[in-house]
Amino acid sequence: MRKIIQIVFLFMVTVTLQSQSSFNWNSKKNTIKIPFELTHNLIIVDVGFNGVPLKMIVDTGSDRSMLFSFPENDSLVLNQTDKIEVRGVGNDQSIIAYLSKNNTLKINELEDSNFEILLIPDQEITLINKIGLPINGILGSTFFKQYVTKIDYDKKCITLFKNSRKQIDKARRNMSKCKVEIDENKPYVSINTELEGKEATLKLLFDTGLGEGLWLFENDKIKCSNFYINDVLGRGLSGDIEGKKARIKNVVLSNYEFKNVIVSYPDSVFFKRISIYSNRNGSLGGEVIKRFNWVLDYKNSDFYFQKNRAYDLPFNYNMSGIEVQHFGFQWVKEGVNVNSAIGLLNLDEFYFEKGGDRNKYKYELKPIFEIYSIRKDSPAAIAGLKVGDKIIKLNNKGINQLSIQNITDVFQSEDGKLITIIIERKNEQITFKFNLKKIL
């Protein structure tokens, strides 16, 4: 099965669901720390679901937790399942899903024995193509309701507080504050910006499940500038989400101002079945959120924040026009000198002796990366690269030395940078060269 990422977790369920999940505090300490991985501006945590280890994206933009895939070597039991219908962003097709109750979810010393989750089977959204990690689902915003939570992007750690008064007092003294509106467990914040020469206040979903920095929905008052590129912005439950990508003059959050921020305008056709427009102008995503450390107080509708080491990073985008996805694995042979016994075998490599000498070959299981989308008239498209090309080398580095995040960093690096890429097409290796071109 082809594996596709979904960075935007927007969905609609055709029945009303009320989550009953509640976490128990199994620690004698006042805090519980949860380390996380940060890739493509998404927060990924390790959880135990009915005794099976999973990786989930922490998503404040979704009121429901969802499960897309299972570990290949584990069987997963779901309790008390009811068949429902879900309609996702991307097209008009509905999706069959299963609401499962009375499951056990463990995150370090937190445990919920009545955890509700939506299982969405048979979908090409296993979240591995653009991340390169086997993501199994998302942890929705109900995770944040019960305890005051600190998200420290510098330390890559989420901290929950059982007794929150001291932490809130500290946040009030040292951090900026913004009031949030909590609607159906999802938080909304206000930003100020300039649209067509006039100041405007916008209501945005605070969305850690959105990798990009800013999404705006076009209407009579919000219009994309005339200087933009058409692009694939992400993938929803029902298909690709297309739209425009441009820059906006400024974004002001409390007393912090960002200039020339990359903004995406998803095509309204992909949202026509979903009621997200009421008093909402878009989403604030990870590319902006990661520039601050946060204290989230859902009960009092207060968020506190202070800038961190990522604050001054430029707002870049993919200047190559290539979108790359993970496409399975292959065995890669490398010559090595080993003193180990002949026939040594482990899970991801093996050795054998050639010609009776001590010079042996090592085979390692490495990922395959392929091009799944190319922006029209981009440098990669003009050079002749095509969808389906498998990447062999990028700027003299073998693909087995790279991750998808490394590849993305190269394509976002600097205007004019020379890219040399060797691909495989119909069992033939071809070399292409092009320069990154900054359009926005």
Side-chain angles (χ1 to χ4, degrees):
M1 176 184 290
R2 193 172 186 175
K3 297 181 175 179
I4 303 293
I5 187 176
Q6 175 205 337
I7 298 184
V8 188
F9 305 111
L10 299 174
F11 69 99
M12 177 184 71
V13 181
T14 57
V15 296
T16 301
L17 303 175
Q18 297 294 331
S19 174
Q20 302 298 320
S21 298
S22 179
F23 285 94
N24 294 319
W25 192 279
N26 297 328
S27 174
K28 295 180 180 179
K29 298 180 180 179
N30 183 51
T31 60
I32 291 178
K33 295 183 180 295
I34 304 169
F36 64 81
E37 299 174 71
L38 184 68
T39 182
H40 288 77
N41 304 323
L42 302 175
I43 297 171
I44 302 167
V45 297
D46 292 314
V47 307
F49 182 83
N50 290 343
V52 176
L54 301 178
K55 286 187 179 291
M56 302 184 78
I57 291 175
V58 177
D59 184 7
T60 58
S62 172
D63 59 336
R64 307 296 307 184
S65 296
M66 291 186 277
L67 191 62
F68 303 130
S69 66
F70 310 100
E72 293 182 3
N73 298 321
D74 277 306
S75 59
L76 192 61
V77 177
L78 291 172
N79 299 320
Q80 194 179 335
T81 57
D82 295 312
K83 191 174 181 179
I84 61 175
E85 188 176 276
V86 175
R87 191 176 298 279
V89 174
N91 59 36
D92 291 339
Q93 296 179 0
S94 61
I95 300 169
I96 297 300
Y98 298 88
L99 175 62
S100 178
K101 302 178 182 179
N102 299 328
N103 300 288
T104 298
L105 185 80
K106 291 185 178 181
I107 312 175
N108 281 11
E109 294 167 293
L110 282 181
E111 180 176 349
D112 184 353
S113 57
N114 187 31
F115 189 74
E116 294 184 4
I117 199 162
L118 277 176
L119 170 64
I120 306 177
D122 303 322
Q123 295 296 310
E124 296 179 342
I125 49 174
T126 54
L127 305 185
I128 195 172
N129 72 323
K130 204 169 185 179
I131 296 179
L133 295 173
I135 305 302
N136 304 109
I138 65 172
L139 190 62
S141 59
T142 53
F143 171 72
F144 296 99
K145 287 173 49 181
Q146 203 167 343
Y147 304 105
V148 168
T149 305
K150 181 178 181 180
I151 303 177
D152 191 324
Y153 281 93
D154 281 334
K155 296 180 179 178
K156 295 182 175 58
C157 183
I158 295 173
T159 304
L160 280 72
F161 299 88
K162 188 176 183 180
N163 184 356
S164 59
R165 180 177 298 177
K166 184 177 179 180
Q167 181 61 32
I168 291 176
D169 288 343
K170 182 178 179 181
R172 286 172 177 165
R173 292 193 304 269
N174 302 321
M175 307 175 79
S176 299
K177 174 183 173 181
C178 64
K179 293 296 294 184
V180 297
E181 179 183 338
I182 308 296
D183 185 11
E184 295 182 348
N185 297 322
K186 293 184 287 190
Y188 296 85
V189 297
S190 294
I191 68 160
N192 295 316
T193 187
E194 186 176 311
L195 299 175
E196 298 183 349
K198 298 181 180 179
E199 292 186 0
T201 299
L202 304 180
K203 177 183 176 181
L204 304 179
L205 176 67
F206 184 88
D207 191 357
T208 59
L210 175 66
E212 295 188 334
L214 192 65
W215 273 28
L216 295 182
F217 304 137
E218 288 191 279
N219 54 33
D220 293 339
K221 296 182 179 180
I222 300 176
K223 297 289 185 182
C224 178
S225 71
N226 294 326
F227 192 53
Y228 65 88
I229 57 176
N230 291 304
D231 209 354
V232 175
L233 307 182
R235 176 168 286 262
L237 294 181
S238 301
D240 286 333
I241 302 168
E242 298 175 359
K244 304 169 187 174
K245 196 180 292 289
R247 287 189 185 269
I248 197 168
K249 185 176 180 180
N250 67 340
V251 170
V252 179
L253 181 63
S254 186
N255 55 328
Y256 295 100
E257 181 179 12
F258 297 107
K259 295 184 177 181
N260 297 317
V261 178
I262 294 289
V263 57
S264 295
Y265 299 86
D267 194 323
S268 61
V269 69
F270 297 102
F271 297 89
K272 62 184 179 182
R273 290 277 188 165
I274 299 181
S275 302
I276 62 174
Y277 286 101
S278 180
N279 298 319
R280 175 185 166 194
N281 304 116
S283 296
L284 188 71
E287 179 64 29
V288 172
I289 295 172
K290 74 171 184 181
R291 297 162 190 265
F292 302 95
N293 296 329
W294 296 83
V295 173
L296 311 182
D297 181 4
Y298 272 60
K299 289 183 178 180
N300 294 306
S301 300
D302 292 327
F303 283 8
Y304 303 88
F305 57 103
Q306 61 185 172
K307 65 180 183 180
N308 59 28
R309 291 195 296 264
Y311 181 80
D312 291 319
L313 291 177
F315 288 90
N316 291 330
Y317 70 100
N318 186 337
M319 291 178 281
S320 73
I322 294 175
E323 294 292 340
V324 177
Q325 71 177 5
H326 182 281
F327 198 68
F329 293 89
Q330 63 184 344
W331 287 104
V332 176
K333 183 176 76 172
E334 298 177 351
V336 292
N337 290 318
V338 230
N339 294 320
S340 56
I342 298 174
L344 179 64
L345 180 69
N346 63 34
L347 291 177
D348 60 358
E349 61 186 41
F350 61 87
Y351 308 91
F352 66 90
E353 191 165 11
K354 181 181 179 182
D357 57 27
R358 302 299 296 172
N359 199 11
K360 304 175 185 179
Y361 289 99
K362 171 184 177 183
Y363 284 76
E364 289 192 352
L365 200 59
K366 297 292 185 179
I368 300 170
F369 298 127
E370 75 162 20
I371 297 171
Y372 83 93
S373 175
I374 300 181
R375 190 172 65 243
K376 184 180 178 181
D377 298 326
S378 65
I382 294 171
L385 287 155
K386 296 181 178 180
V387 171
D389 288 344
K390 291 181 173 60
I391 300 175
I392 306 301
K393 280 189 176 182
L394 179 63
N395 284 1
N396 297 317
K397 285 190 176 182
I399 204 64
N400 57 313
Q401 299 175 269
L402 298 171
S403 66
I404 289 183
Q405 184 69 64
N406 297 146
I407 297 170
T408 300
D409 291 343
V410 170
F411 291 157
Q412 292 185 353
S413 54
E414 57 182 303
D415 186 25
K417 183 180 179 67
L418 177 64
I419 301 297
T420 302
I421 184 170
I422 300 175
I423 59 94
E424 181 182 298
R425 182 187 299 168
K426 296 181 179 179
N427 297 320
E428 179 184 359
Q429 290 192 8
I430 310 173
T431 300
F432 293 90
K433 293 186 178 183
F434 61 86
N435 296 92
L436 297 180
K437 185 177 180 180
K438 187 175 183 179
I439 302 174
L440 298 178

